[in-house]
Amino acid sequence: NIETRTLLQGRRTTFIECVAAGEHPEVPPLVYVRPTSTMAIKESEYVDKNGRVYHPYLHKWNQVWQIIELEIM
């Protein structure tokens, strides 16, 4: 299940790809920055050279999901 979103920030358009595994929503989606052919990925604390996004919210996804699941029950 792949969903691509377009984010507009200033004058730049950034494409974000979210891949939800079959276990979603229990497991976090894989999130990638997908630059256009004229853009490059700048590695940072949250983005690797392949565009994979690492964010504290994604890292704690399971904890958040467990809380939501308990509230629903």
Side-chain angles (χ1 to χ4, degrees), residues 2 16 22 40 49 52 56 58-59 69 72-73:
I2 298 174
I16 303 294
K49 66 181 180 180
R52 173 106 185 250
L58 294 171
H59 180 71
E69 196 173 48
I72 292 172
M73 298 175 115

Side-chain angles (χ1 to χ4, degrees), residues 17-57:
E17 178 181 25
C18 295
V19 181
E23 298 86 14
H24 185 76
E26 289 86 5
V27 297
L30 299 175
V31 180
Y32 297 90
V33 175
R34 295 295 188 215
T36 64
S37 61
T38 60
M39 301 170 82
I41 295 173
K42 181 179 178 185
E43 289 184 71
S44 71
E45 179 180 358
Y46 298 117
V47 180
D48 70 13
K49 66 181 180 180
N50 298 312
R52 173 106 185 250
V53 175
Y54 298 92
H55 191 274
Y57 185 80

Side-chain angles (χ1 to χ4, degrees), residues 21-29 60-66 69:
E23 298 86 14
H24 185 76
E26 289 86 5
V27 297
K60 295 179 181 181
W61 184 277
N62 194 351
Q63 295 168 0
V64 172
W65 174 251
Q66 287 174 355
E69 196 173 48

